[in-house]
Amino acid sequence: MSTSPKPLHLNAFLMSTGHHEASWRLPESDPYSTTSIAHYAKLAQTAERGRLDSIFFADSPSLWGTIGRRPSGSLEPTVVLAAIAALTTRIGLIATASTTYNEPYNLARRFASIDHISGGRVGWNIVTTATLDAARNFNRDELPSHAARYARAEEFLQVAKKLWDSWDDKAVLADKEAGLWGDDRLLYPAAHAGEHFQVAGALNVPRTPQGHPLLVQAGSSEDGRAFAANHAEAIFTAWQTIEEAQAFYADVKRRAKDAGRDPDGVLVLPGIVPVLGSTEAEARLLEEELDRLIVPEYALGNLAKQLKLDPSELDLDKELPAVLPTEDEIEGAKSRFTLIVDLARRERLTVRQLIGRLGGGRGHRTFTGTPEQVADAILDWADNGAADGFNIMPAVLPSGLEAFVDQVVPILQAKGRFRTEYEATTLRGHYGLARPENPRRAEAVASAVKGVLAHSR
Amino acid sequence: MSTSPKPLHLNAFLMSTGHHEASWRLPESDPYSTTSIAHYAKLAQTAERGRLDSIFFADSPSLWGTIGRRPSGSLEPTVVLAAIAALTTRIGLIATASTTYNEPYNLARRFASIDHISGGRVGWNIVTTATLDAARNFNRDELPSHAARYARAEEFLQVAKKLWDSWDDKAVLADKEAGLWGDDRLLYPAAHAGEHFQVAGALNVPRTPQGHPLLVQAGSSEDGRAFAANHAEAIFTAWQTIEEAQAFYADVKRRAKDAGRDPDGVLVLPGIVPVLGSTEAEARLLEEELDRLIVPEYALGNLAKQLKLDPSELDLDKELPAVLPTEDEIEGAKSRFTLIVDLARRERLTVRQLIGRLGGGRGHRTFTGTPEQVADAILDWADNGAADGFNIMPAVLPSGLEAFVDQVVPILQAKGRFRTEYEATTLRGHYGLARPENPRRAEAVASAVKGVLAHSR
Ligand SMILES: Cc1cc2nc3c(=O)[nH]c(=O)nc-3n(C[C@H](O)[C@H](O)[C@H](O)COP(=O)(O)O)c2cc1C
Ligand SMILES: Cc1cc2nc3c(=O)[nH]c(=O)nc-3n(C[C@H](O)[C@H](O)[C@H](O)COP(=O)(O)O)c2cc1C
């Protein structure tokens, strides 16, 4: 270790029985956990016991493919977070929500409400939602274009920020004597009129403990990175190799700087799927068991969809077709498309092998080994400009998270690389980020001063 | 008591420091309770201790008038319910949400999710949202017309029901051996294409403990009653006199019957604002104290808005102007408008007196007295065809709910008129309503049988 390294941040990405698509078939797994709040609350408490920064739920407002393959359907994550907030005290709570299929007033309010409920622990993973299935649940026949989705997302964030800043931190007077609860002059209505949104009002929720929820982003295309540079405070991302991750890390830090922001205020958290065993052989055994339980026919249909191919164009025992669409032709998830194609080409994988590699983390890096090896893998990327922390995606839940918390975290703590107690009470605090000032207050003060000056002339 | 009377249903309508607009100024009140989940959780636990059927939150996606007058802004109620679900075990949980400013896929999903989280305790108070302020937060310059709002609400409910029924109760197989989690043939996609909505998908949440959330309705205009007759299982309503309440009760039961439904499956719950004291004099003292604390200037602006007048047209010490708009001209809350005008005319109230009368419950009946008197008032309406139960709206919170639970409920229990223990685990169970069958299953079975018959010919 050189000079004191930057603190490491760890997020637990929770998903029913785990990230491996066959995890639900293990004897230990509860296949009904998709709808069990007890399951998710216990996972959150485990993560909190490990002093992790946060837990996280992915989301899309649609049913994803066939329900034959793996546990399907998922509770809407903002209400899940609210329930978990009541059952935990410190851990950060991050939910995914789509800017394409929500209204800014409703969504900004829901996150503000959870920030109050949790005492400042909420984060929003901002996504534009890449599937046609979702579009078809919201009055559309076609997926809005990638560019149109990001344009709407940009304006959505502008509106949301105005709404979160629409109450001065001092707007509530609570003056019982005078009978004056709040000061209307300390409300700053959004008064937004743009291309996508027209939103008059102040939010109907006072400014929250964190000011704004922690803003997280998870798209890695050109547009996604540009958006992240403007708004993201943490970035979830998927990379198979340290070289790719380093390039991405350098790129988004530079973009943040170019956007006039402090690069340390934009944390990069690649995903890692740890498959843990007390010996390497034991870990391999678990991995093989999981891969053996994959039903490749299901996965093939899904892979074809991601690659914009017909399933008949894929042969389980051959490599991908020589001619594939380019990223430009993908209107869905661009960066994930490229990751998958690069992985298959680089390692000359058959479709069956590719499905195995994607079965663990859908494109995220799977790492199989002992707790020491996992800790080393984490520190290797963190110390070499590839990550500020990790999005931990246990292959099997709850056991994989318990193993991580009980076996990997103590190693990181013993090395002085991870907190042993929470030092902050808010999610922003855990991530080392400040509570945003309210720019509207500064404007209001400036215009009041101008008024006084004009008067005194 | 004649033959065993119908069971009584009691819902606690929760609102910051209480329903009386000046309640927040009492020494006991926490004026910051609008954003305090601890406050609401404690109220829910008190209601649960009293074995009440449910708690309820009103809502509108806008800031209501000035923030000077009373605690303003409110946490979004679906996330509040999710948090409270985690901290209670039996009480029903009802949130208001607007059909005008939500998308059916998102809202149906959120209620389905809370139904899972709470083990079958959620209800939805369906409203169309009557204020221009709300419209202006959702890309509009004008309030959509009353008729247009109810037309959208009607289709919204059709879609929501299709989504709640889009998974067969047996769709999840969880067959680990075969590697088959769910049966795609037991999904019934909504496939809805109507005037307002086009929604393809199955919901991404399995069918819930209650099948559908309890459906509650709270509009009493012509359109509101027609809607209630089609969909409502409980109706919140505001009446000042038993005669009005009886007429309404008879009317909606008849309408439900005409719509082919069992009138006992539509419970009518008028609001009552109990102001309790251990003697009548003590109760009156509390009422006078509260009314003295009203700042009438605030209330006047709000009253003018409800009556579609300019504030300058109202004089605190005179009666309402002779010429007023008619209910037809009101595009906002029609039935509340008529209630207020009728009350003022009938009792020849000055504007100041009217404001006093509305200060307690915004049009709901205020009843000031001892626990015995409140219990008698409740039974009087319940036994005379005016109510199946009550929406309890304590003037002051938490003390008013504690007084109701500790002093009024035991009287009703001693008379054998209210449960002493929960007999059911779901909200539908508390209200004596069945879990809806899935009509899509019957259709699917019928068409499968037809297929087999066709084959065997
Ligand atoms: C860790 C991680 C989690 C993600 N979670 C979601 C999600 O929950 N919902 C979603 O629509 N997209 C999710 N994505 C995908 C991206 O947010 C994005 O929608 C997709 O990659 C398209 O963006 P791009 O074209 O900029 O890459 C996730 C991506 C990553 C790396
Ligand atoms: C107890 C009660 C609670 C209500 N809560 C709400 C509410 O939370 N939000 C809302 O928009 N309207 C609420 N209303 C008003 C009605 O739902 C309805 O929106 C309004 O009266 C207009 O309907 P109408 O014109 O059919 O009367 C409530 C009414 C009652 C009686």
Side-chain angles (χ1 to χ4, degrees):
Chain A
M1 234 190 301
S2 57
T3 60
S4 99
K6 280 197 253 178
L8 198 63
H9 300 287
L10 298 174
N11 171 70
F13 181 172
L14 306 182
M15 179 180 279
S16 64
T17 56
H19 286 270
H20 195 287
E21 70 168 275
S23 56
W24 72 275
R25 297 184 67 188
L26 293 180
E28 71 170 77
S29 293
D30 170 12
Y32 295 96
S33 59
T34 33
T35 51
S36 164
I37 193 70
H39 173 72
Y40 289 116
K42 190 170 162 237
L43 292 172
Q45 288 160 349
T46 301
E48 190 168 66
R49 174 158 62 76
R51 308 295 182 250
L52 266 52
D53 294 68
S54 45
I55 59 165
F56 160 65
F57 291 96
D59 197 54
S60 181
S62 66
L63 194 58
W64 174 245
T66 165
I67 66 168
R69 182 182 184 189
R70 64 185 299 176
S72 298
S74 48
L75 303 176
E76 195 284 324
T78 64
V79 297
V80 172
L81 288 193
I84 291 177
L87 301 171
T88 53
T89 58
R90 289 298 195 93
I91 189 128
L93 307 163
I94 305 175
T96 298
S98 172
T99 52
T100 306
Y101 304 113
N102 280 288
E103 286 291 327
Y105 198 92
N106 287 337
L107 197 64
R109 183 180 180 210
R110 223 151 71 237
F111 277 103
S113 298
I114 304 174
D115 207 43
H116 280 293
I117 288 174
S118 63
R121 295 189 282 139
V122 85
W124 171 21
N125 178 37
I126 307 160
V127 300
T128 65
T129 310
T131 64
L132 173 61
D133 287 338
R136 297 182 66 228
N137 291 331
F138 295 87
N139 298 354
R140 290 171 175 275
D141 297 314
E142 315 225 347
L143 179 64
S145 77
H146 195 267
R149 297 201 311 273
Y150 273 105
R152 180 180 160 110
E154 179 61 40
E155 191 181 332
F156 197 114
L157 263 283
Q158 290 169 17
V159 179
K161 287 177 179 178
K162 286 182 191 173
L163 290 169
W164 291 321
D165 292 334
S166 64
W167 289 56
D168 195 279
D169 282 316
K170 299 202 161 73
V172 179
L173 307 172
D175 186 341
K176 292 184 180 184
E177 201 49 49
L180 198 65
W181 186 79
D183 185 343
D184 287 311
R185 294 168 310 174
L186 296 179
L187 289 181
Y188 314 124
H192 180 91
E195 198 179 327
H196 301 83
F197 305 113
Q198 188 181 321
V199 179
L203 198 63
N204 53 353
V205 178
R207 203 159 190 266
T208 75
Q210 291 191 114
H212 301 177
L214 179 80
L215 299 178
V216 183
Q217 201 273 350
S220 299
S221 64
E222 259 308 299
D223 286 343
R225 294 177 192 209
F227 180 86
N230 286 337
H231 300 291
E233 298 167 307
I235 301 179
F236 293 150
T237 189
W239 300 107
Q240 290 281 330
T241 66
I242 190 167
E243 293 76 19
E244 291 167 310
Q246 285 166 329
F248 177 78
Y249 187 97
D251 182 59
V252 295
K253 297 279 178 171
R254 184 187 51 68
R255 285 175 192 255
K257 209 171 159 194
D258 290 349
R261 299 176 59 204
D262 175 4
D264 288 341
V266 184
L267 304 171
V268 177
L269 308 175
I272 183 169
V273 182
V275 180
L276 281 160
S278 52
T279 61
E280 210 180 309
E282 202 185 283
R284 292 259 165 257
L285 220 62
L286 173 57
E287 186 181 29
E288 282 161 27
E289 163 81 350
L290 283 166
D291 288 349
R292 192 182 59 74
L293 291 171
I294 293 177
V295 180
E297 289 71 20
Y298 289 131
L300 186 135
N302 185 40
L303 179 63
K305 212 164 160 185
Q306 282 180 297
L307 300 180
K308 245 185 140 178
L309 298 175
D310 191 87
S312 66
E313 295 175 77
L314 296 177
D315 183 328
L316 278 174
D317 295 306
K318 294 211 174 114
E319 290 187 40
L320 291 182
V323 180
L324 289 173
T326 65
E327 185 176 300
D328 279 352
E329 296 167 65
I330 300 296
E331 282 302 332
K334 285 184 186 282
S335 58
R336 194 60 60 90
F337 166 85
T338 299
L339 179 147
I340 293 169
V341 174
D342 286 354
L343 169 64
R345 299 274 194 243
R346 188 173 58 239
E347 305 194 15
R348 311 206 52 169
L349 302 173
T350 65
V351 168
R352 189 185 303 276
Q353 288 169 326
L354 180 60
I355 282 171
R357 290 292 292 276
L358 297 176
R362 303 175 307 285
H364 288 269
R365 174 185 175 218
T366 296
F367 189 95
T368 302
T370 63
E372 288 73 18
Q373 288 171 326
V374 170
D376 287 345
I378 284 176
L379 293 177
D380 180 33
W381 283 34
D383 291 339
N384 290 290
D388 296 310
F390 282 85
N391 195 16
I392 307 298
M393 303 170 57
V396 185
L397 288 169
S399 64
L401 184 62
E402 283 162 7
F404 187 85
V405 159
D406 294 330
Q407 296 163 33
V408 181
V409 167
I411 296 171
L412 296 170
Q413 288 171 329
K415 289 182 195 271
R417 295 300 298 275
F418 195 64
R419 69 174 74 83
T420 53
E421 280 306 331
Y422 286 113
E423 283 143 31
T425 58
T426 67
L427 175 55
R428 289 185 170 276
H430 301 332
Y431 278 104
L433 298 166
R435 181 172 191 267
E437 296 283 320
N438 192 338
R440 308 292 295 276
R441 182 180 179 81
E443 285 163 29
V445 169
S447 94
V449 168
K450 228 159 121 186
V452 171
L453 290 179
H455 247 309
S456 65
R457 263 191 210 136
Chain B
M1 235 190 299
S2 57
T3 59
S4 99
K6 279 195 254 179
L8 198 62
H9 300 287
L10 297 174
N11 170 70
F13 182 172
L14 306 182
M15 179 180 280
S16 64
T17 56
H19 286 271
H20 195 289
E21 68 169 275
S23 57
W24 71 276
R25 298 183 67 188
L26 293 180
E28 71 170 78
S29 294
D30 170 11
Y32 295 96
S33 58
T34 34
T35 51
S36 164
I37 193 69
H39 173 72
Y40 289 115
K42 190 171 161 236
L43 292 172
Q45 287 159 349
T46 301
E48 190 168 66
R49 174 159 61 75
R51 309 294 183 251
L52 268 51
D53 294 68
S54 46
I55 59 166
F56 161 64
F57 292 96
D59 197 53
S60 181
S62 65
L63 195 57
W64 174 246
T66 165
I67 65 169
R69 183 182 184 187
R70 66 184 299 176
S72 298
S74 48
L75 303 176
E76 195 284 323
T78 64
V79 296
V80 172
L81 287 193
I84 291 177
L87 302 172
T88 54
T89 59
R90 288 296 193 98
I91 188 126
L93 307 163
I94 305 174
T96 298
S98 173
T99 52
T100 306
Y101 304 114
N102 279 289
E103 287 290 328
Y105 198 92
N106 288 337
L107 197 64
R109 183 179 179 211
R110 223 150 71 237
F111 277 104
S113 298
I114 304 174
D115 207 43
H116 279 293
I117 289 174
S118 64
R121 295 189 283 138
V122 85
W124 172 21
N125 177 37
I126 307 161
V127 300
T128 66
T129 311
T131 64
L132 174 61
D133 287 338
R136 296 182 66 231
N137 291 331
F138 295 87
N139 298 354
R140 291 171 174 274
D141 297 314
E142 314 224 347
L143 179 64
S145 78
H146 194 267
R149 298 202 310 274
Y150 273 105
R152 180 180 160 110
E154 179 60 40
E155 191 181 333
F156 198 114
L157 263 282
Q158 289 169 17
V159 178
K161 287 178 179 177
K162 286 182 192 173
L163 290 169
W164 291 321
D165 293 333
S166 64
W167 288 57
D168 194 280
D169 282 316
K170 299 201 160 72
V172 179
L173 306 173
D175 186 341
K176 290 183 180 185
E177 200 50 50
L180 198 64
W181 185 79
D183 184 343
D184 287 312
R185 295 168 309 175
L186 295 178
L187 289 181
Y188 313 125
H192 180 92
E195 198 179 328
H196 300 84
F197 305 112
Q198 188 181 322
V199 179
L203 198 63
N204 52 353
V205 179
R207 203 158 190 265
T208 76
Q210 291 191 113
H212 301 178
L214 179 80
L215 298 178
V216 183
Q217 201 275 350
S220 299
S221 64
E222 259 309 298
D223 286 342
R225 293 177 193 209
F227 180 86
N230 286 337
H231 300 290
E233 299 168 305
I235 301 180
F236 293 149
T237 188
W239 300 107
Q240 289 283 329
T241 67
I242 190 168
E243 293 76 20
E244 291 167 309
Q246 285 165 331
F248 177 79
Y249 187 96
D251 182 60
V252 295
K253 297 279 178 172
R254 185 187 50 70
R255 286 176 191 254
K257 210 171 157 193
D258 290 350
R261 298 177 59 204
D262 175 3
D264 288 341
V266 185
L267 304 171
V268 177
L269 308 175
I272 183 168
V273 182
V275 181
L276 281 160
S278 52
T279 63
E280 211 180 309
E282 203 185 282
R284 293 259 164 257
L285 219 62
L286 173 57
E287 185 180 31
E288 282 163 24
E289 163 80 349
L290 283 166
D291 287 350
R292 193 182 57 74
L293 291 172
I294 293 178
V295 181
E297 288 71 20
Y298 288 130
L300 186 134
N302 185 39
L303 180 63
K305 211 163 157 184
Q306 283 181 296
L307 301 179
K308 244 185 143 179
L309 299 174
D310 191 87
S312 65
E313 296 175 75
L314 295 177
D315 183 327
L316 277 174
D317 296 307
K318 294 210 174 115
E319 290 186 39
L320 291 182
V323 180
L324 289 174
T326 64
E327 186 177 298
D328 279 351
E329 296 167 63
I330 300 295
E331 283 301 332
K334 285 182 186 282
S335 57
R336 195 59 60 90
F337 167 85
T338 299
L339 180 148
I340 293 170
V341 173
D342 287 353
L343 169 65
R345 298 273 196 242
R346 185 172 61 239
E347 305 194 16
R348 310 206 53 168
L349 302 173
T350 65
V351 168
R352 189 186 303 277
Q353 288 169 325
L354 180 60
I355 282 171
R357 291 292 291 275
L358 297 176
R362 302 176 308 286
H364 288 270
R365 173 182 176 221
T366 296
F367 189 95
T368 303
T370 63
E372 288 74 17
Q373 289 171 326
V374 170
D376 287 345
I378 283 175
L379 293 178
D380 181 33
W381 283 34
D383 290 340
N384 290 289
D388 295 309
F390 282 84
N391 194 15
I392 308 297
M393 303 170 57
V396 185
L397 287 170
S399 64
L401 183 63
E402 283 162 7
F404 186 86
V405 160
D406 294 331
Q407 295 163 32
V408 180
V409 167
I411 296 172
L412 296 171
Q413 288 171 329
K415 289 183 197 270
R417 296 300 298 275
F418 195 64
R419 68 174 74 84
T420 52
E421 280 306 331
Y422 286 112
E423 283 144 32
T425 58
T426 67
L427 175 55
R428 289 185 169 275
H430 302 333
Y431 278 104
L433 299 166
R435 181 171 191 267
E437 296 282 321
N438 192 338
R440 308 292 293 277
R441 183 179 179 83
E443 285 163 30
V445 170
S447 93
V449 169
K450 228 159 123 186
V452 172
L453 290 180
H455 248 309
S456 65
R457 261 192 214 136

